[in-house]
Amino acid sequence: MNWSVPINVGWRLRVLTGTSRGQEFDLAPSQYVLGSQAPASIVIPHPSIAHQHIYLDVRPDCVDVRLFRAGLTLLVNDKSSQSARLSSGDKIGIGQFEFQLINPSAPPRPSPVPSNSGLSAQWSKLSAMFGKWQRWQKVAVVTSAIALMLYGLEAATGNPNLVPVTLLAMSLVVPSAVIFFLVDRYDKTGISLRTLAITFLAGGTVGIIATVITAEASALVVGGLLLGPLFAGLYEEPAKLLATSWRWKHPVYDRPMDGLILGVVSGLGFAVFESAGYGLQALIEAGQAGLLWVMVLRGATSPFGHGLWSGIVSAAFWQSGRDLRKAVKNRQFQIALLWAIGLHALWNGGYLPGMIISGFLSVREFRRLLANRGYRN
């Protein structure tokens, strides 16, 4: 008599986290869509997962996975990816959930063939080391390399067509790394790349447009009295909050921590475009040396300014219900707005001690909000 227990061969998708932990889906060779609601063929009803999030192409020997559309996020074995070929045991992360593909009968992942070339070995070591870096570190290295290359080309050739992209690339280095660091470490909602990108661009366009309009309107009423750097926060802080307005009614991004992150993204978008303007002015007035000095200085100080101030204001706005009429009457929002405007004025005073005090207080308040999940006491 045969007492062996039959093994259930074939692909299975196992849920590793969340309320559905332990649930498994049998996957016969076919094509599937995983999402949070129909018409997805595999449904995980959770707001951190898009309605249709990923494709799964299941074959006898492997499974191909790819995003359903651009702007969504996918982790393959803890690394961000757009598409990948998976073997048994591989893990994928979507929103707040992690899954594992299992198939005892599938062939194992092929081992990499060792190379005898010294150059290839060194390259493999560098690639492996780079692969272990966090996303913000990779972003910092790549954007720095691009900015340095563009700066060198523009300085060597004097080609005016390189000026706009050089200014933006140099302005983007530090803010982009800060955004990825903040999102990867503190975003528990699963804010989409599309939301981050549009909020960033809105901060740099809508924010600046709103600032200029309100400043000019103020000048018509009270003259140039309130147009000095000390009063910039009166126009810029509400303008950066306005740039997040397209997500005020979003049903998922409803936590103060979401507001904190989106406020930072909007503020850093404002900082990038503003820095590009200052860089252009420096290039015209002082040449390449002036441009390099201004961009390095503004890049090094950008994490202590616009992003933190707008994050503080946005977190309080989210806490007050994302309703402008209620927010203006809310004491916590009023304090947060005045706090940001005051820190902004202290920074713009132009004195090093004031900038140091402003940076210290901004970081301290922001860290309090991070520790309290965006809530203000």
Coordinates of all heavy atoms in Angstrom, one line a residue, residues 242-287:
L242 N -1.9 75.3 -1.1 CA -2.8 75.3 -2.3 C -2.4 74.3 -3.3 O -3.2 73.6 -3.9 CB -2.9 76.7 -2.9 CG -3.8 76.8 -4.1 CD1 -5.2 76.6 -3.7 CD2 -3.6 78.2 -4.7
A243 N -1.1 74.1 -3.5 CA -0.6 73.1 -4.5 C -1.0 71.7 -4.1 O -0.9 70.8 -5.0 CB 0.9 73.2 -4.6
T244 N -1.4 71.4 -2.8 CA -1.8 70.1 -2.5 C -3.4 69.9 -2.6 O -3.9 68.8 -2.3 CB -1.4 69.7 -1.0 OG1 -2.2 70.6 -0.1 CG2 0.1 69.9 -0.8
S245 N -4.0 71.0 -3.0 CA -5.5 71.0 -3.0 C -6.1 69.9 -3.8 O -7.3 69.5 -3.6 CB -6.0 72.3 -3.4 OG -5.7 72.6 -4.7
W246 N -5.5 69.4 -4.8 CA -6.0 68.4 -5.7 C -6.2 67.0 -5.0 O -6.8 66.1 -5.5 CB -5.2 68.3 -7.0 CG -3.9 67.5 -6.8 CD1 -2.8 67.9 -6.1 CD2 -3.6 66.3 -7.4 NE1 -1.9 67.0 -6.2 CE2 -2.3 65.9 -6.9 CE3 -4.3 65.3 -8.2 CZ2 -1.6 64.8 -7.3 CZ3 -3.6 64.2 -8.5 CH2 -2.3 63.9 -8.1
R247 N -5.6 66.9 -3.8 CA -5.7 65.7 -3.0 C -6.4 66.0 -1.7 O -6.5 65.1 -0.8 CB -4.3 65.1 -2.7 CG -3.8 64.3 -3.9 CD -4.7 63.1 -4.1 NE -4.3 62.2 -5.2 CZ -4.9 62.0 -6.3 NH1 -6.0 62.7 -6.6 NH2 -4.5 61.1 -7.2
W248 N -7.1 67.1 -1.5 CA -7.8 67.4 -0.3 C -9.0 66.5 -0.1 O -9.4 66.1 1.0 CB -8.3 68.8 -0.3 CG -7.2 69.8 -0.1 CD1 -5.9 69.5 0.2 CD2 -7.3 71.2 -0.1 NE1 -5.1 70.7 0.3 CE2 -6.0 71.8 0.2 CE3 -8.3 72.1 -0.3 CZ2 -5.7 73.1 0.2 CZ3 -8.1 73.5 -0.2 CH2 -6.8 74.0 0.0
K249 N -9.6 66.0 -1.2 CA -10.8 65.2 -1.1 C -10.5 63.7 -1.4 O -11.5 62.9 -1.5 CB -11.9 65.7 -2.1 CG -12.3 67.1 -1.8 CD -12.9 67.3 -0.4 CE -13.4 68.7 -0.2 NZ -13.9 68.9 1.2
H250 N -9.3 63.3 -1.5 CA -9.0 61.9 -1.8 C -9.4 61.0 -0.6 O -9.0 61.3 0.5 CB -7.5 61.8 -2.1 CG -7.1 60.5 -2.7 ND1 -7.1 59.3 -2.0 CD2 -6.8 60.2 -4.0 CE1 -6.7 58.3 -2.8 NE2 -6.5 58.8 -4.0
P251 N -10.2 59.9 -0.9 CA -10.7 59.1 0.2 C -9.7 58.3 1.0 O -9.9 57.9 2.1 CB -11.7 58.2 -0.5 CG -11.2 58.1 -1.9 CD -10.6 59.5 -2.2
V252 N -8.5 58.1 0.4 CA -7.5 57.2 1.0 C -6.4 58.0 1.7 O -6.0 57.7 2.9 CB -6.8 56.3 0.0 CG1 -5.7 55.5 0.6 CG2 -7.8 55.4 -0.7
Y253 N -6.0 59.2 1.1 CA -5.0 60.0 1.7 C -5.6 60.9 2.7 O -5.6 62.1 2.6 CB -4.2 60.8 0.7 CG -3.7 59.9 -0.5 CD1 -3.6 60.4 -1.8 CD2 -3.2 58.6 -0.2 CE1 -3.1 59.6 -2.8 CE2 -2.7 57.8 -1.3 CZ -2.7 58.3 -2.5 OH -2.2 57.5 -3.6
D254 N -6.1 60.4 3.8 CA -6.9 61.1 4.8 C -6.2 61.3 6.1 O -6.7 61.9 7.1 CB -8.2 60.5 5.0 CG -8.2 59.1 5.5 OD1 -7.1 58.5 5.5 OD2 -9.2 58.5 5.9
R255 N -5.0 60.8 6.3 CA -4.3 60.8 7.6 C -3.4 62.1 7.6 O -2.8 62.5 6.6 CB -3.4 59.6 7.8 CG -4.2 58.3 7.8 CD -3.3 57.1 7.8 NE -4.0 55.8 7.8 CZ -4.4 55.2 6.6 NH1 -4.1 55.8 5.5 NH2 -5.0 54.1 6.6
P256 N -3.2 62.7 8.8 CA -2.2 63.8 8.9 C -0.8 63.4 8.4 O -0.2 64.3 7.9 CB -2.2 64.1 10.4 CG -3.6 63.7 10.9 CD -3.9 62.4 10.1
M257 N -0.4 62.2 8.6 CA 0.9 61.8 8.0 C 0.9 61.9 6.5 O 1.9 62.3 5.9 CB 1.2 60.3 8.4 CG 2.6 59.9 8.0 SD 4.0 60.8 8.6 CE 4.3 60.0 10.2
D258 N -0.2 61.6 5.9 CA -0.3 61.8 4.4 C -0.1 63.3 4.1 O 0.6 63.6 3.1 CB -1.6 61.3 3.9 CG -1.8 59.8 4.1 OD1 -0.8 59.1 4.2 OD2 -3.0 59.4 4.3
G259 N -0.8 64.1 4.8 CA -0.7 65.6 4.6 C 0.8 66.0 4.9 O 1.3 66.9 4.2
L260 N 1.4 65.5 5.9 CA 2.8 65.9 6.2 C 3.7 65.5 5.0 O 4.5 66.4 4.6 CB 3.2 65.1 7.5 CG 4.6 65.5 8.0 CD1 4.6 66.8 8.6 CD2 5.1 64.4 9.0
I261 N 3.6 64.3 4.5 CA 4.4 63.9 3.3 C 4.1 64.7 2.1 O 5.0 65.2 1.4 CB 4.2 62.4 3.1 CG1 4.8 61.6 4.2 CG2 4.9 62.0 1.8 CD1 4.5 60.1 4.1
L262 N 2.8 64.9 1.8 CA 2.5 65.7 0.6 C 2.9 67.1 0.7 O 3.2 67.8 -0.3 CB 1.0 65.5 0.3 CG 0.5 64.2 -0.1 CD1 -1.0 64.1 -0.3 CD2 1.2 63.7 -1.4
G263 N 2.8 67.7 1.9 CA 3.2 69.1 2.1 C 4.7 69.2 1.9 O 5.2 70.2 1.2
V264 N 5.5 68.2 2.3 CA 6.9 68.3 2.1 C 7.2 68.2 0.6 O 8.1 68.9 0.1 CB 7.6 67.1 2.8 CG1 9.1 67.0 2.4 CG2 7.6 67.3 4.3
V265 N 6.5 67.3 -0.1 CA 6.7 67.2 -1.6 C 6.4 68.5 -2.3 O 7.1 68.9 -3.2 CB 5.9 66.0 -2.1 CG1 5.9 65.9 -3.6 CG2 6.4 64.7 -1.5
S266 N 5.3 69.1 -1.9 CA 4.9 70.4 -2.5 C 6.0 71.4 -2.2 O 6.4 72.2 -3.1 CB 3.6 70.8 -2.0 OG 3.3 72.1 -2.4
G267 N 6.4 71.5 -1.0 CA 7.4 72.5 -0.6 C 8.7 72.3 -1.3 O 9.4 73.3 -1.7
L268 N 9.2 71.1 -1.5 CA 10.4 70.8 -2.2 C 10.3 71.1 -3.7 O 11.3 71.5 -4.3 CB 10.9 69.4 -1.9 CG 11.4 69.1 -0.4 CD1 11.8 67.7 -0.2 CD2 12.6 70.0 -0.1
G269 N 9.1 70.8 -4.2 CA 8.9 71.2 -5.6 C 9.0 72.7 -5.8 O 9.6 73.2 -6.7
F270 N 8.5 73.5 -4.8 CA 8.6 75.0 -4.8 C 10.1 75.3 -4.7 O 10.6 76.2 -5.4 CB 7.8 75.5 -3.6 CG 7.8 77.0 -3.6 CD1 6.6 77.7 -4.1 CD2 8.8 77.8 -3.1 CE1 6.5 79.1 -4.1 CE2 8.7 79.2 -3.1 CZ 7.6 79.8 -3.6
A271 N 10.8 74.6 -3.8 CA 12.2 74.9 -3.6 C 13.1 74.7 -4.9 O 14.0 75.5 -5.2 CB 12.8 74.1 -2.5
V272 N 12.8 73.6 -5.6 CA 13.5 73.3 -6.8 C 13.4 74.4 -7.9 O 14.3 74.8 -8.5 CB 13.1 71.9 -7.4 CG1 13.6 71.7 -8.8 CG2 13.6 70.8 -6.5
F273 N 12.1 74.8 -8.1 CA 11.9 75.8 -9.2 C 12.5 77.2 -8.7 O 13.0 77.9 -9.5 CB 10.4 75.9 -9.5 CG 9.9 74.8 -10.4 CD1 9.8 73.5 -9.9 CD2 9.7 75.0 -11.7 CE1 9.3 72.4 -10.7 CE2 9.3 74.0 -12.6 CZ 9.1 72.7 -12.0
E274 N 12.3 77.5 -7.4 CA 12.9 78.7 -6.9 C 14.4 78.7 -7.0 O 15.0 79.7 -7.4 CB 12.4 78.9 -5.5 CG 12.8 80.3 -4.9 CD 12.5 80.4 -3.5 OE1 12.8 79.5 -2.6 OE2 11.7 81.4 -3.1
S275 N 15.0 77.6 -6.7 CA 16.5 77.5 -6.8 C 17.0 77.6 -8.2 O 18.0 78.3 -8.5 CB 17.0 76.2 -6.2 OG 16.7 76.1 -4.8
A276 N 16.2 77.1 -9.1 CA 16.6 77.2 -10.6 C 16.6 78.7 -11.0 O 17.4 79.2 -11.7 CB 15.6 76.4 -11.4
G277 N 15.6 79.4 -10.5 CA 15.5 80.9 -10.8 C 16.7 81.6 -10.2 O 17.3 82.5 -10.8
Y278 N 17.1 81.3 -8.9 CA 18.2 82.0 -8.3 C 19.5 81.6 -9.0 O 20.5 82.3 -9.1 CB 18.3 81.6 -6.8 CG 17.4 82.4 -5.9 CD1 16.3 81.8 -5.4 CD2 17.7 83.7 -5.7 CE1 15.4 82.5 -4.5 CE2 16.8 84.5 -4.8 CZ 15.7 83.9 -4.3 OH 14.9 84.6 -3.5
G279 N 19.6 80.3 -9.5 CA 20.8 79.9 -10.2 C 20.9 80.6 -11.5 O 22.1 81.0 -11.9
L280 N 19.8 80.8 -12.2 CA 19.9 81.6 -13.5 C 20.4 83.0 -13.2 O 21.3 83.5 -13.9 CB 18.5 81.6 -14.1 CG 18.4 82.4 -15.4 CD1 19.4 81.9 -16.5 CD2 17.0 82.5 -16.0
Q281 N 19.9 83.6 -12.1 CA 20.3 85.0 -11.8 C 21.8 85.0 -11.5 O 22.6 85.9 -11.9 CB 19.5 85.5 -10.6 CG 19.9 86.9 -10.2 CD 19.0 87.4 -9.0 OE1 18.1 86.7 -8.6 NE2 19.4 88.6 -8.5
A282 N 22.3 84.0 -10.7 CA 23.7 83.9 -10.4 C 24.6 83.7 -11.6 O 25.7 84.2 -11.7 CB 24.0 82.8 -9.4
L283 N 24.1 82.9 -12.6 CA 24.8 82.6 -13.8 C 25.0 83.9 -14.6 O 26.1 84.2 -15.2 CB 24.1 81.5 -14.6 CG 24.8 81.2 -16.0 CD1 26.1 80.5 -15.7 CD2 23.9 80.2 -16.7
I284 N 24.0 84.7 -14.7 CA 24.0 85.9 -15.4 C 24.9 86.9 -14.8 O 25.7 87.6 -15.4 CB 22.6 86.5 -15.6 CG1 21.7 85.6 -16.4 CG2 22.7 87.9 -16.2 CD1 20.3 86.0 -16.5
E285 N 24.9 87.0 -13.4 CA 25.6 88.1 -12.7 C 27.1 87.7 -12.4 O 28.0 88.5 -12.4 CB 24.9 88.4 -11.4 CG 23.5 89.0 -11.6 CD 22.8 89.3 -10.3 OE1 23.3 88.9 -9.3 OE2 21.7 89.9 -10.4
A286 N 27.3 86.4 -12.1 CA 28.6 86.0 -11.6 C 29.3 84.8 -12.4 O 30.3 84.3 -12.0 CB 28.6 85.6 -10.1
G287 N 28.6 84.3 -13.4 CA 29.2 83.3 -14.2 C 29.1 81.9 -13.6 O 28.3 81.7 -12.7

